[in-house]
Amino acid sequence: SCPDSEALCSGPTLCHPWPVHFVGMYGQDSYSIQQGSMYGSPFGPPDNMGPAKPLMGLQPQVRRQRMNLVAAVIALFLPWGMFCSIFALQSFSLRYTSPALCTGITVAVGAPLFLFTAYKIFASLRTLIYGYPFVDTGASTLWTLFISVTACVAFVLALSGGSYNYQQNMRAIFDVTSLNSYVAVNPATMRGQELMDAGKVQFVAGANLDLKLANGFKNTDVYCVAPITVDNAVLSSYDFWAVGKNCCSDQKADFKCGAYDGTGAKGGLRITSDSDRDFYRLAVQQAQSSHAIKAVHPLFFTWTADSDSSLEDAERVGYQCLLVGMLGHFLFQLLLVTTALACFAKVHIY
Protein backbone atom coordinates (compact mmCIF):
# COMPACT_ATOMS: atom_id res chain seq x y z
CA SER A 1 0.00 0.00 0.00
CA CYS A 2 0.97 3.60 -0.51
CA PRO A 3 -0.48 5.66 2.28
CA ASP A 4 1.62 8.74 1.66
CA SER A 5 1.21 8.81 -2.08
CA GLU A 6 -2.34 7.76 -2.71
CA ALA A 7 -3.01 11.11 -4.35
CA LEU A 8 -0.37 10.30 -6.85
CA CYS A 9 -1.27 6.68 -7.41
CA SER A 10 -4.49 5.30 -8.74
CA GLY A 11 -5.51 2.05 -10.34
CA PRO A 12 -3.48 -1.12 -10.46
CA THR A 13 -0.11 0.52 -10.17
CA LEU A 14 2.99 -0.35 -8.24
CA CYS A 15 4.02 2.59 -6.12
CA HIS A 16 7.29 3.34 -4.40
CA PRO A 17 6.93 6.22 -1.93
CA TRP A 18 10.55 5.90 -0.90
CA PRO A 19 13.60 6.04 -3.10
CA VAL A 20 14.57 2.71 -4.57
CA HIS A 21 18.12 1.65 -4.32
CA PHE A 22 19.83 0.29 -7.41
CA VAL A 23 23.35 -0.81 -7.94
CA GLY A 24 24.55 0.85 -11.11
CA MET A 25 27.47 0.15 -13.29
CA TYR A 26 30.90 -0.17 -11.70
CA GLY A 27 29.30 -0.72 -8.28
CA GLN A 28 28.02 2.83 -7.93
CA ASP A 29 24.81 3.45 -6.05
CA SER A 30 21.85 4.90 -7.92
CA TYR A 31 18.60 6.17 -6.45
CA SER A 32 15.35 6.90 -8.26
CA ILE A 33 11.73 7.25 -7.41
CA GLN A 34 9.47 5.12 -9.60
CA GLN A 35 5.77 5.30 -9.72
CA GLY A 36 3.22 4.60 -12.36
CA SER A 37 2.54 1.64 -14.58
CA MET A 38 4.79 -1.36 -14.65
CA TYR A 39 4.59 -1.31 -18.48
CA GLY A 40 5.30 1.52 -20.83
CA SER A 41 6.18 5.06 -19.83
CA PRO A 42 6.01 5.78 -16.15
CA PHE A 43 4.12 8.97 -16.86
CA GLY A 44 1.75 7.52 -19.49
CA PRO A 45 0.91 9.17 -22.77
CA PRO A 46 0.25 12.89 -22.66
CA ASP A 47 -3.39 13.88 -22.83
CA ASN A 48 -2.87 16.24 -25.82
CA MET A 49 -1.32 13.64 -28.13
CA GLY A 50 -3.27 11.39 -30.44
CA PRO A 51 -2.70 7.71 -30.96
CA ALA A 52 0.84 6.70 -31.65
CA LYS A 53 1.73 6.17 -35.36
CA PRO A 54 3.54 3.02 -36.36
CA LEU A 55 7.12 3.29 -37.43
CA MET A 56 6.54 1.18 -40.54
CA GLY A 57 4.71 2.40 -43.67
CA LEU A 58 6.39 5.78 -44.17
CA GLN A 59 4.79 8.11 -46.67
CA PRO A 60 6.52 8.09 -50.09
CA GLN A 61 8.68 11.05 -50.93
CA VAL A 62 7.36 13.21 -53.76
CA ARG A 63 9.88 14.61 -56.20
CA ARG A 64 9.38 16.86 -59.19
CA GLN A 65 10.13 15.51 -62.65
CA ARG A 66 13.51 16.62 -63.94
CA MET A 67 13.88 18.20 -67.37
CA ASN A 68 14.84 15.46 -69.82
CA LEU A 69 16.86 17.29 -72.47
CA VAL A 70 17.72 14.13 -74.42
CA ALA A 71 14.05 13.24 -74.78
CA ALA A 72 13.26 16.85 -75.72
CA VAL A 73 15.86 16.81 -78.52
CA ILE A 74 14.51 13.50 -79.83
CA ALA A 75 10.97 14.86 -79.62
CA LEU A 76 12.02 17.89 -81.68
CA PHE A 77 13.98 16.24 -84.48
CA LEU A 78 12.38 12.80 -84.89
CA PRO A 79 8.89 14.05 -85.93
CA TRP A 80 10.48 16.83 -87.97
CA GLY A 81 12.67 14.31 -89.81
CA MET A 82 9.57 12.22 -90.41
CA PHE A 83 7.82 15.27 -91.90
CA CYS A 84 10.72 16.18 -94.21
CA SER A 85 11.15 12.62 -95.49
CA ILE A 86 7.49 11.95 -96.24
CA PHE A 87 6.98 15.42 -97.74
CA ALA A 88 9.91 14.92 -100.13
CA LEU A 89 8.82 11.36 -100.93
CA GLN A 90 5.33 12.53 -101.90
CA SER A 91 6.54 15.58 -103.84
CA PHE A 92 9.30 14.51 -106.18
CA SER A 93 10.30 12.14 -108.95
CA LEU A 94 10.06 8.78 -107.13
CA ARG A 95 6.29 9.20 -106.88
CA TYR A 96 6.12 9.88 -110.63
CA THR A 97 8.49 7.17 -111.84
CA SER A 98 7.67 4.44 -109.25
CA PRO A 99 4.29 5.15 -107.66
CA ALA A 100 3.98 1.59 -106.28
CA LEU A 101 7.33 1.83 -104.52
CA CYS A 102 6.43 5.25 -103.13
CA THR A 103 3.15 3.89 -101.77
CA GLY A 104 4.91 0.86 -100.27
CA ILE A 105 7.44 3.01 -98.42
CA THR A 106 4.67 5.25 -97.13
CA VAL A 107 2.66 2.31 -95.81
CA ALA A 108 5.75 0.62 -94.34
CA VAL A 109 6.53 3.76 -92.35
CA GLY A 110 3.02 4.81 -91.44
CA ALA A 111 1.43 1.50 -90.41
CA PRO A 112 3.86 0.61 -87.56
CA LEU A 113 3.87 4.20 -86.39
CA PHE A 114 0.10 4.40 -86.06
CA LEU A 115 -0.17 0.95 -84.48
CA PHE A 116 2.43 1.80 -81.86
CA THR A 117 0.75 5.15 -81.15
CA ALA A 118 -2.63 3.46 -80.81
CA TYR A 119 -1.14 1.01 -78.29
CA LYS A 120 0.42 3.83 -76.23
CA ILE A 121 -2.83 5.79 -76.22
CA PHE A 122 -4.76 2.67 -75.15
CA ALA A 123 -2.29 2.03 -72.32
CA SER A 124 -2.56 5.65 -71.17
CA LEU A 125 -6.36 5.59 -71.21
CA ARG A 126 -6.35 2.34 -69.26
CA THR A 127 -4.09 4.00 -66.69
CA LEU A 128 -6.40 7.00 -66.37
CA ILE A 129 -9.55 4.90 -66.14
CA TYR A 130 -8.43 2.00 -63.96
CA GLY A 131 -5.53 3.61 -62.14
CA TYR A 132 -2.82 1.29 -63.39
CA PRO A 133 0.64 2.74 -62.71
CA PHE A 134 3.18 3.51 -65.41
CA VAL A 135 5.34 0.59 -64.44
CA ASP A 136 6.47 -0.38 -67.93
CA THR A 137 8.62 2.62 -68.80
CA GLY A 138 8.39 4.88 -65.78
CA ALA A 139 8.55 8.63 -66.27
CA SER A 140 9.66 8.24 -69.91
CA THR A 141 6.11 7.12 -70.76
CA LEU A 142 5.06 10.76 -71.14
CA TRP A 143 7.81 11.52 -73.65
CA THR A 144 7.23 8.26 -75.53
CA LEU A 145 3.56 9.08 -75.91
CA PHE A 146 4.33 12.66 -76.92
CA ILE A 147 6.87 11.63 -79.57
CA SER A 148 4.62 8.98 -81.08
CA VAL A 149 1.58 11.28 -81.26
CA THR A 150 3.49 14.21 -82.76
CA ALA A 151 5.18 11.86 -85.25
CA CYS A 152 1.72 10.76 -86.41
CA VAL A 153 0.70 14.40 -86.77
CA ALA A 154 3.87 15.08 -88.78
CA PHE A 155 3.16 12.07 -90.99
CA VAL A 156 -0.37 13.26 -91.83
CA LEU A 157 0.76 16.83 -92.46
CA ALA A 158 3.61 15.67 -94.69
CA LEU A 159 1.36 13.32 -96.63
CA SER A 160 -1.18 16.05 -97.37
CA GLY A 161 1.39 18.79 -97.98
CA GLY A 162 3.55 16.62 -100.23
CA SER A 163 0.54 15.52 -102.28
CA TYR A 164 -0.53 19.14 -102.71
CA ASN A 165 2.96 20.16 -103.85
CA TYR A 166 3.09 17.25 -106.28
CA GLN A 167 -0.28 17.97 -107.85
CA GLN A 168 0.04 21.75 -108.01
CA ASN A 169 3.72 22.23 -108.86
CA MET A 170 5.73 19.13 -109.67
CA ARG A 171 3.51 16.79 -111.67
CA ALA A 172 3.22 19.11 -114.66
CA ILE A 173 7.02 19.45 -114.71
CA PHE A 174 7.49 15.68 -114.70
CA ASP A 175 4.89 15.33 -117.46
CA VAL A 176 6.67 17.87 -119.65
CA THR A 177 10.16 16.49 -119.08
CA SER A 178 8.97 12.96 -119.85
CA LEU A 179 7.90 14.11 -123.34
CA ASN A 180 10.11 15.13 -126.26
CA SER A 181 11.59 18.55 -126.87
CA TYR A 182 11.39 20.31 -130.23
CA VAL A 183 13.14 23.39 -131.58
CA ALA A 184 12.51 25.58 -134.62
CA VAL A 185 8.83 24.68 -134.74
CA ASN A 186 7.02 26.58 -137.48
CA PRO A 187 3.26 26.82 -136.86
CA ALA A 188 2.66 27.72 -140.51
CA THR A 189 4.14 24.54 -141.93
CA MET A 190 3.73 21.95 -139.15
CA ARG A 191 0.58 20.27 -137.88
CA GLY A 192 -0.43 19.18 -134.44
CA GLN A 193 -0.33 15.49 -135.37
CA GLU A 194 3.42 15.79 -135.95
CA LEU A 195 4.13 16.97 -132.39
CA MET A 196 1.69 14.90 -130.35
CA ASP A 197 4.55 13.87 -128.02
CA ALA A 198 5.89 17.41 -127.62
CA GLY A 199 6.52 18.61 -124.09
CA LYS A 200 8.88 21.53 -124.53
CA VAL A 201 8.84 23.55 -127.74
CA GLN A 202 10.91 26.43 -129.10
CA PHE A 203 9.27 28.22 -132.02
CA VAL A 204 10.98 29.81 -134.99
CA ALA A 205 11.83 33.49 -135.03
CA GLY A 206 8.83 35.59 -135.97
CA ALA A 207 6.33 33.35 -134.19
CA ASN A 208 3.74 35.42 -132.39
CA LEU A 209 0.17 35.41 -131.08
CA ASP A 210 -2.74 36.49 -133.23
CA LEU A 211 -4.65 38.31 -130.48
CA LYS A 212 -7.54 39.17 -132.82
CA LEU A 213 -8.54 35.49 -132.76
CA ALA A 214 -8.25 35.05 -129.00
CA ASN A 215 -11.15 33.76 -127.00
CA GLY A 216 -12.20 33.02 -123.40
CA PHE A 217 -14.45 30.28 -122.07
CA LYS A 218 -15.86 30.71 -118.58
CA ASN A 219 -16.60 27.82 -116.26
CA THR A 220 -15.94 29.27 -112.77
CA ASP A 221 -12.43 30.07 -114.08
CA VAL A 222 -11.91 31.76 -117.43
CA TYR A 223 -9.97 29.56 -119.86
CA CYS A 224 -8.13 31.78 -122.34
CA VAL A 225 -6.75 30.75 -125.75
CA ALA A 226 -4.92 32.55 -128.58
CA PRO A 227 -3.51 30.96 -131.79
CA ILE A 228 0.24 30.92 -132.46
CA THR A 229 1.12 32.09 -135.96
CA VAL A 230 4.12 33.43 -137.86
CA ASP A 231 4.06 37.15 -138.69
CA ASN A 232 0.25 37.15 -138.29
CA ALA A 233 -0.15 34.99 -141.37
CA VAL A 234 -3.50 33.37 -142.06
CA LEU A 235 -3.17 29.62 -141.59
CA SER A 236 -5.18 26.79 -142.99
CA SER A 237 -5.28 25.13 -139.60
CA TYR A 238 -4.43 26.71 -136.27
CA ASP A 239 -3.02 23.77 -134.33
CA PHE A 240 -0.79 25.59 -131.83
CA TRP A 241 -2.47 27.63 -129.11
CA ALA A 242 -1.17 29.67 -126.21
CA VAL A 243 -3.39 29.26 -123.17
CA GLY A 244 -3.85 30.45 -119.60
CA LYS A 245 -6.43 30.75 -116.85
CA ASN A 246 -8.07 33.96 -115.64
CA CYS A 247 -5.88 36.18 -117.78
CA CYS A 248 -8.50 37.36 -120.25
CA SER A 249 -12.16 38.25 -120.47
CA ASP A 250 -14.87 35.95 -121.71
CA GLN A 251 -16.56 38.92 -123.43
CA LYS A 252 -13.78 40.16 -125.73
CA ALA A 253 -10.41 39.16 -127.17
CA ASP A 254 -7.98 40.56 -124.59
CA PHE A 255 -5.52 37.69 -124.10
CA LYS A 256 -2.87 38.63 -121.48
CA CYS A 257 -1.37 35.29 -120.50
CA GLY A 258 2.31 34.46 -120.19
CA ALA A 259 4.78 36.44 -122.31
CA TYR A 260 2.04 37.73 -124.61
CA ASP A 261 3.69 41.14 -125.10
CA GLY A 262 7.31 40.00 -125.38
CA THR A 263 9.56 40.20 -128.42
CA GLY A 264 12.12 37.80 -129.82
CA ALA A 265 12.08 34.02 -129.87
CA LYS A 266 9.28 32.32 -127.99
CA GLY A 267 8.74 28.88 -126.54
CA GLY A 268 5.99 26.82 -125.05
CA LEU A 269 5.44 24.29 -122.27
CA ARG A 270 2.79 21.70 -123.00
CA ILE A 271 -0.40 21.70 -120.93
CA THR A 272 -0.82 18.14 -119.65
CA SER A 273 -3.75 18.48 -117.24
CA ASP A 274 -6.67 16.51 -118.65
CA SER A 275 -9.32 18.64 -116.97
CA ASP A 276 -7.79 21.89 -118.20
CA ARG A 277 -7.37 20.57 -121.74
CA ASP A 278 -11.07 19.84 -122.00
CA PHE A 279 -11.99 23.44 -121.21
CA TYR A 280 -9.28 24.85 -123.50
CA ARG A 281 -10.68 22.69 -126.28
CA LEU A 282 -14.12 24.21 -125.69
CA ALA A 283 -12.58 27.70 -125.88
CA VAL A 284 -10.95 26.80 -129.21
CA GLN A 285 -14.27 25.52 -130.54
CA GLN A 286 -15.85 28.85 -129.63
CA ALA A 287 -13.03 30.68 -131.45
CA GLN A 288 -13.55 28.47 -134.51
CA SER A 289 -17.20 29.34 -134.56
CA SER A 290 -16.70 33.05 -133.89
CA HIS A 291 -13.86 33.67 -136.36
CA ALA A 292 -14.55 31.01 -138.97
CA ILE A 293 -11.18 29.33 -138.57
CA LYS A 294 -10.12 25.69 -138.41
CA ALA A 295 -8.14 23.78 -135.76
CA VAL A 296 -7.73 20.15 -136.78
CA HIS A 297 -5.58 18.93 -133.89
CA PRO A 298 -5.02 21.75 -131.40
CA LEU A 299 -2.10 21.54 -128.95
CA PHE A 300 -1.99 23.81 -125.91
CA PHE A 301 1.10 25.52 -124.53
CA THR A 302 2.06 28.06 -121.92
CA TRP A 303 3.56 30.95 -123.91
CA THR A 304 7.05 31.76 -122.60
CA ALA A 305 10.11 33.69 -123.67
CA ASP A 306 12.37 30.75 -122.81
CA SER A 307 10.92 27.31 -122.17
CA ASP A 308 14.02 26.07 -120.31
CA SER A 309 14.01 29.01 -117.90
CA SER A 310 10.26 28.70 -117.36
CA LEU A 311 10.65 25.03 -116.52
CA GLU A 312 13.38 25.80 -114.02
CA ASP A 313 11.26 28.53 -112.45
CA ALA A 314 8.32 26.15 -112.06
CA GLU A 315 10.58 23.53 -110.49
CA ARG A 316 11.97 26.14 -108.12
CA VAL A 317 8.45 26.83 -106.85
CA GLY A 318 8.11 23.17 -105.87
CA TYR A 319 11.36 23.23 -103.90
CA GLN A 320 10.35 26.48 -102.24
CA CYS A 321 7.13 24.82 -101.13
CA LEU A 322 9.19 22.03 -99.54
CA LEU A 323 11.46 24.51 -97.74
CA VAL A 324 8.51 26.51 -96.44
CA GLY A 325 6.89 23.33 -95.19
CA MET A 326 10.10 22.19 -93.46
CA LEU A 327 10.59 25.53 -91.74
CA GLY A 328 6.94 25.82 -90.74
CA HIS A 329 6.81 22.34 -89.25
CA PHE A 330 10.09 22.86 -87.38
CA LEU A 331 8.66 25.95 -85.70
CA PHE A 332 5.41 24.11 -84.98
CA GLN A 333 7.26 21.15 -83.44
CA LEU A 334 9.49 23.50 -81.43
CA LEU A 335 6.37 25.11 -79.97
CA LEU A 336 4.96 21.70 -79.03
CA VAL A 337 8.20 20.56 -77.39
CA THR A 338 8.51 23.80 -75.43
CA THR A 339 4.95 23.41 -74.19
CA ALA A 340 5.61 19.78 -73.26
CA LEU A 341 8.71 20.73 -71.28
CA ALA A 342 6.72 23.28 -69.31
CA CYS A 343 3.92 20.80 -68.62
CA PHE A 344 6.06 17.77 -67.82
CA ALA A 345 8.14 19.78 -65.36
CA LYS A 346 5.02 20.10 -63.19
CA VAL A 347 4.35 16.36 -63.12
CA HIS A 348 5.16 14.73 -59.74
CA ILE A 349 6.74 11.29 -59.79
CA TYR A 350 6.40 9.04 -56.68
Side-chain angles (χ1 to χ4, degrees), residues 15-35:
C15 302
H16 296 275
W18 305 104
V20 180
H21 176 261
F22 295 96
V23 179
M25 295 182 62
Y26 308 107
Q28 296 181 357
D29 294 335
S30 176
Y31 296 89
S32 66
I33 297 177
Q34 297 183 359
Q35 57 185 3

Side-chain angles (χ1 to χ4, degrees), residues 134-315:
F134 289 116
V135 295
D136 51 348
T137 55
S140 62
T141 300
L142 294 174
W143 280 113
T144 304
L145 181 62
F146 175 84
I147 292 173
S148 59
V149 170
T150 55
C152 288
V153 173
F155 184 90
V156 173
L157 292 177
L159 192 63
S160 58
S163 298
Y164 173 83
N165 189 32
Y166 176 79
Q167 296 293 341
Q168 296 295 321
N169 300 317
M170 304 305 299
R171 182 175 180 176
I173 298 173
F174 298 143
D175 286 339
V176 169
T177 54
S178 66
L179 299 173
N180 283 331
S181 299
Y182 291 90
V183 295
V185 174
N186 190 339
T189 59
M190 303 183 72
R191 296 293 177 263
Q193 293 91 331
E194 302 177 46
L195 280 78
M196 292 180 61
D197 62 344
K200 185 171 58 174
V201 171
Q202 199 71 28
F203 293 98
V204 296
N208 64 326
L209 302 180
D210 192 343
L211 299 180
K212 300 186 301 296
L213 304 178
N215 187 64
F217 176 82
K218 185 174 183 179
N219 181 36
T220 306
D221 294 319
V222 180
Y223 294 85
C224 311
V225 296
I228 302 173
T229 64
V230 177
D231 298 327
N232 293 323
V234 178
L235 306 181
S236 59
S237 178
Y238 294 87
D239 286 350
F240 300 92
W241 292 78
V243 299
K245 282 197 295 187
N246 301 317
C247 48
C248 69
S249 171
D250 60 332
Q251 303 296 329
K252 59 182 180 179
D254 56 348
F255 186 88
K256 296 180 180 179
C257 306
Y260 72 97
D261 57 349
T263 58
K266 294 294 186 294
L269 297 177
R270 183 80 171 270
I271 299 298
T272 58
S273 172
D274 293 333
S275 60
D276 289 345
R277 279 205 309 265
D278 292 338
F279 291 113
Y280 289 134
R281 190 172 289 109
L282 291 175
V284 170
Q285 291 175 4
Q286 280 187 343
Q288 289 179 273
S289 177
S290 300
H291 304 290
I293 59 176
K294 184 185 295 186
V296 177
H297 196 286
L299 301 180
F300 307 114
F301 298 90
T302 301
W303 188 243
T304 66
D306 187 348
S307 56
D308 291 327
S309 298
S310 298
L311 198 62
E312 293 175 359
D313 292 340
E315 189 174 9

Side-chain angles (χ1 to χ4, degrees), residues 65 68 71 75 116-117 119-128 132-149 340 344 347 349:
Q65 171 73 359
N68 193 337
F116 177 77
T117 304
Y119 165 74
K120 297 303 294 182
I121 293 176
F122 171 77
S124 300
L125 291 177
R126 186 180 62 172
T127 298
L128 294 176
Y132 293 158
F134 289 116
V135 295
D136 51 348
T137 55
S140 62
T141 300
L142 294 174
W143 280 113
T144 304
L145 181 62
F146 175 84
I147 292 173
S148 59
V149 170
F344 294 168
V347 176
I349 305 299

